[in-house]
Amino acid sequence: MGKDANVSAMEIDDPKSKNSDQISPKFSINVLQLLKSAQMQHGLRHGDYTRYRRYCSARLRRLYKSLKFTHGRGKYSRKAISESTVTEVRFLHMVLYTAERAWSHAMEKRQLPDGPVARQRIYLIGRLRKAVKWATLFSQLCAVKGDSRTSLEAEAYASYMKGNLLFEQDKNWDAALMNFKSARAVYEELGKYGDLENQILCRERVEELEPSIRYCLHKIGESNLQASELLQIGEMEGPALDLFKAKLEAVMAEARSEQAASMTEFHWLGHRFPISNAKTRVAILKAQELEKDLHGPMADSIPADKRLVTFDKIFSAYHEARGYIRSDLATAGNAESVKDDLNGLDKAVSAVLGERTIERNLLLVKIAKSKLSRRREDKNEKVTKPEELVRLYDLLLQNTADLSDLVSSGRDRKPEEVSFAEECERKSLAFRAERCLYVAQSYSLAGKRTEAYALYSRARTLAEDALQKLRPSNGKNQIMIKELEALCNECRSNRCIEHAIGIMEEEKAPENLSKKISTISLNGAEKKLEKFLLEKLDVYESAVGESNVKNVPRIEAFPPAFQTIPRNPIVLDLAYNFIEFPSIENRMKKDKKGFISRLWR
């Protein structure tokens, strides 16, 4: 009996017994964290799907080789992956990265410059179907071989891929909505548990899925979502939103094309310029929609960095419109009326582009002024110098001069164009006054009191001249008038300050000079304000300084000071030049020459 008991115990403890083979191992994969890390490190931080697809291919190649799961040499014979095949977690990684490779390839086709054409779109949807196929297989394998959390994440991943396929196909919005909601519910639940990093990733994925859900509801008709709200959603960032952004851009392009069909003229300075090219209409309409965000009632609530991005988009749209106009001019032939209309439209679009450039540079001036007036609290924050504002005002003066020259060009100048050019001259005078103020500030910081005093006086004179020309403008430039009045007061106060400081420095100049002379020593040694670290090793005191103050670390004097060292004496042999040496000609050997050699002397 005892022997049988020992044998049965050995069979139970034996890892190779049949009972132990029946217990399948449970693998654990943090799917979202794994994919997010791979995506951010290999291209998707910058939207580079080509790089991420190549990474997935290289990763799969390494997995196939390390698992010895290759498909044969020479003739290709694909090996199927089933539940019995998955003996370790790398097989699950292989299925997951295959789905990611197909998805990234589809997104790469979606990001083509002119959008996917019909054949490329068929290929794109085929790659998304492949991604759905592998994501579904991954979910099925994880349900058997993975733990509960891995199974849930795999199910959410498969639902997300199915939703992407239906979203791209523009059909069956109910099923797409159901899949997106299923993925969101799983990530909302998983975001309540685990470590902090995993909770943040789950919440980010929930936020990325929300726009797609709202768009599906909008297509079904259960949501009254406006176009402006769709554009605000499209400003969010994340790889899960790239397909939504592409779809949104396609929808907005269709809407612009429909609106452009009714847009036949471009209005500028009370004049109408006909637009015949449909592409020109779409580009101008896109720019005008973006301008509504900058000039609307909610413009002040938009952050400065987003407004700058909007300006860049406006510039791109107007440059695109100018390109179409000039290509039409090149193909217009000898039709003078068509050429006149196109030249007028080109002039109007260029003038509007110049106005938006001035507005953008004024926004940069506003940002620089806020940084200049705000005291530096963060040591890493870059402080604006007056020279940077001088550069910005130089740009504004150049932009105003170019716009004035553009409007003034032409044979027949209209009254509206004349008044517009005069307005540009008044703005230019105000910009000159502002520029002179910041030049004076730069001289003041350099300690040049006389130059600063003269420049403050000049800036005040320019500001007063600009005020005289702006005040009769019937309240059009009230903001600029208030700024110039504040500039006059600032110039007056700063001029008095510079005058007082200059007199004080002149009075104290002899005293300061005598102090400096009294501190001069013959050996050139200066009094140390603070000892170096190597001189006070017995004292527990920081040699680097406080973290919020930028001081040079006082560890050791570098470069080291010169030290006197002994060396060998220099001996000058001056007696050599005065010694008279005896003649040794009598000791030199004399040459014996023959009769023939004497003849040739």
Side-chain angles (χ1 to χ4, degrees):
M1 291 293 292
K3 186 176 181 180
D4 295 338
N6 290 336
V7 171
S8 62
M10 290 174 63
E11 288 177 354
I12 292 172
D13 294 338
D14 187 7
K16 297 182 181 180
S17 64
K18 294 181 180 180
N19 295 333
S20 64
D21 287 337
Q22 295 175 357
I23 301 173
S24 59
K26 295 291 184 180
F27 302 117
S28 178
I29 304 175
N30 198 333
V31 180
L32 184 59
Q33 191 170 354
L34 176 68
L35 292 181
K36 202 75 173 180
S37 175
Q39 290 172 358
M40 291 298 105
Q41 292 179 14
H42 298 93
L44 291 201
R45 186 185 298 275
H46 309 290
D48 189 354
Y49 285 95
T50 305
R51 179 183 167 193
Y52 183 60
R53 177 178 60 82
R54 291 172 180 169
Y55 163 74
C56 290
S57 300
R59 177 70 175 153
L60 283 170
R61 196 179 303 116
R62 291 194 298 268
L63 286 171
Y64 278 122
K65 190 173 181 180
S66 63
L67 291 169
K68 297 181 180 179
F69 197 72
T70 54
H71 303 292
R73 301 183 66 179
K75 185 178 179 181
Y76 176 82
S77 58
R78 189 175 70 86
K79 294 183 180 179
I81 300 176
S82 59
E83 297 175 6
S84 59
T85 310
V86 182
T87 56
E88 56 177 296
V89 73
R90 285 183 292 173
F91 284 98
L92 297 177
H93 284 189
M94 191 163 57
V95 179
L96 178 62
Y97 278 108
T98 306
E100 281 289 290
R101 179 177 63 178
W103 170 77
S104 59
H105 201 175
M107 296 301 295
E108 181 184 351
K109 295 296 181 184
R110 165 54 71 187
Q111 285 193 328
L112 291 173
D114 297 329
V117 296
R119 185 179 295 275
Q120 291 169 340
R121 180 171 167 75
I122 294 171
Y123 183 77
L124 184 153
I125 292 175
R127 296 306 296 169
L128 282 177
R129 284 199 181 100
K130 282 282 187 182
V132 170
K133 173 190 170 184
W134 287 101
T136 306
L137 177 61
F138 178 68
S139 175
Q140 294 172 355
L141 293 175
C142 287
V144 179
K145 294 292 185 177
D147 56 11
S148 58
R149 182 184 178 87
T150 304
S151 177
L152 271 176
E153 285 203 63
E155 184 180 349
Y157 180 73
S159 299
Y160 168 68
M161 285 297 177
K162 292 175 186 176
N164 279 339
L165 175 61
L166 296 170
F167 195 90
E168 179 61 32
Q169 287 178 334
D170 282 337
K171 63 181 182 180
N172 205 350
W173 292 102
D174 294 324
L177 178 63
M178 183 183 67
N179 282 289
F180 282 134
K181 282 187 173 181
S182 174
R184 182 183 66 176
V186 172
Y187 287 122
E188 282 179 348
E189 192 65 26
L190 292 175
K192 300 176 183 177
Y193 309 102
D195 56 355
L196 181 61
E197 183 181 359
N198 183 72
Q199 292 181 19
I200 293 173
L201 288 176
C202 289
R203 289 169 189 167
E204 287 178 354
R205 180 50 65 93
V206 169
E207 292 176 359
E208 291 174 2
L209 288 171
E210 192 65 31
S212 300
I213 293 172
R214 293 179 67 183
Y215 187 78
C216 291
L217 289 170
H218 174 68
K219 297 297 288 187
I220 293 170
E222 297 181 8
S223 174
N224 296 324
L225 204 60
Q226 301 297 325
S228 60
E229 296 178 3
L230 285 173
L231 288 173
Q232 289 177 2
I233 295 172
E235 292 176 357
M236 299 171 64
E237 297 293 336
L241 286 166
D242 288 341
L243 190 61
F244 169 77
K245 289 180 180 179
K247 182 67 66 178
L248 179 61
E249 186 62 31
V251 170
M252 297 304 293
E254 291 176 3
R256 290 192 196 104
S257 299
E258 293 175 359
Q259 293 179 13
S262 60
M263 180 184 180
T264 58
E265 296 175 339
F266 181 72
H267 300 270
W268 178 70
L269 289 184
H271 300 283
R272 298 178 180 181
F273 302 93
I275 307 174
S276 57
N277 192 339
K279 292 182 179 180
T280 308
R281 294 174 189 167
V282 172
I284 292 175
L285 192 62
K286 180 180 179 181
Q288 289 177 348
E289 286 178 357
L290 292 168
E291 286 174 353
K292 291 178 183 177
D293 297 336
L294 293 176
H295 302 133
M298 303 298 292
D300 294 335
S301 60
I302 301 175
D305 53 348
K306 290 188 177 179
R307 294 180 69 184
L308 290 173
V309 172
T310 306
F311 272 118
D312 292 338
K313 293 178 181 178
I314 290 172
F315 296 156
S316 176
Y318 276 127
H319 281 300
E320 185 179 356
R322 287 175 64 191
Y324 292 135
I325 293 168
R326 290 176 182 181
S327 63
D328 291 341
L329 269 171
T331 57
N334 297 324
E336 292 296 331
S337 60
V338 176
K339 281 189 173 182
D340 290 340
D341 292 339
L342 288 173
N343 282 322
L345 181 60
D346 184 31
K347 180 179 179 180
V349 171
S350 301
V352 173
L353 183 59
E355 290 181 89
R356 300 298 168 262
T357 306
I358 291 174
E359 290 178 8
R360 178 184 179 274
N361 289 337
L362 283 173
L363 178 60
L364 291 175
V365 166
K366 184 178 179 182
I367 296 170
K369 282 183 179 180
S370 64
K371 290 183 180 180
L372 184 67
S373 60
R374 187 173 62 243
R375 291 185 177 181
R376 182 175 60 180
E377 295 178 358
D378 187 5
K379 64 177 182 179
N380 295 324
E381 185 181 0
K382 185 179 179 181
V383 180
T384 302
K385 297 180 180 179
E387 290 82 357
E388 297 179 18
L389 280 160
V390 172
R391 182 184 61 81
L392 289 174
Y393 276 110
D394 283 334
L395 288 175
L396 282 168
L397 288 169
Q398 184 63 44
N399 295 333
T400 311
D402 292 342
L403 183 58
S404 179
D405 292 342
L406 176 67
V407 174
S408 302
S409 63
R411 291 170 294 180
D412 300 327
R413 295 182 61 186
K414 301 180 177 67
E416 295 84 359
E417 294 178 354
V418 174
S419 61
F420 188 83
E422 291 175 354
E423 183 70 20
C424 289
E425 291 178 2
R426 288 191 288 268
K427 288 183 179 179
S428 177
L429 194 57
F431 294 153
R432 286 179 61 196
E434 293 274 0
R435 179 186 180 278
C436 192
L437 171 69
Y438 292 106
V439 172
Q441 286 188 6
S442 63
Y443 273 97
S444 176
L445 291 174
K448 298 181 179 180
R449 307 298 171 192
T450 307
E451 292 84 349
Y453 179 85
L455 286 168
Y456 279 128
S457 302
R458 176 62 176 164
R460 186 182 179 187
T461 304
L462 290 172
E464 289 174 350
D465 293 342
L467 280 172
Q468 288 179 359
K469 293 183 179 180
L470 286 171
R471 277 171 180 158
S473 59
N474 298 325
K476 292 182 180 178
N477 300 303
Q478 289 300 321
I479 297 175
M480 188 173 288
I481 288 172
K482 291 180 180 178
E483 290 179 355
L484 288 173
E485 289 174 350
L487 188 145
C488 287
N489 296 330
E490 186 177 358
C491 288
R492 181 177 178 276
S493 60
N494 286 337
R495 188 179 63 173
C496 295
I497 291 170
E498 293 299 326
H499 191 189
I501 293 175
I503 293 173
M504 291 171 62
E505 289 179 353
E506 187 177 357
E507 293 292 332
K508 291 184 178 180
E511 183 181 353
N512 293 334
L513 182 61
S514 62
K515 284 183 179 179
K516 290 178 181 179
I517 292 174
S518 63
T519 56
I520 294 176
S521 59
L522 295 176
N523 54 7
E526 296 181 357
K527 183 180 179 182
K528 290 184 179 180
L529 300 177
E530 185 182 351
K531 291 184 178 181
F532 291 100
L533 176 63
L534 297 179
E535 298 174 359
K536 53 177 183 178
L537 294 176
D538 55 339
V539 179
Y540 187 76
E541 186 177 339
S542 174
V544 179
E546 299 179 1
S547 59
N548 57 351
V549 180
K550 287 187 176 180
N551 287 333
V552 180
R554 300 185 63 79
I555 299 173
E556 178 55 63
F558 187 83
F562 290 102
Q563 296 180 357
T564 57
I565 57 172
R567 60 154 296 162
N568 295 331
I570 298 174
V571 179
L572 300 176
D573 195 356
L574 300 178
Y576 179 82
N577 298 326
F578 298 96
I579 295 175
E580 293 182 2
F581 293 98
S583 177
I584 55 173
E585 291 181 358
N586 55 350
R587 297 186 181 182
M588 294 174 65
K589 185 178 180 181
K590 296 180 179 179
D591 295 334
K592 294 182 179 181
K593 299 179 181 179
F595 175 77
I596 297 175
S597 62
R598 291 177 185 174
L599 294 176
W600 293 101
R601 282 187 174 182

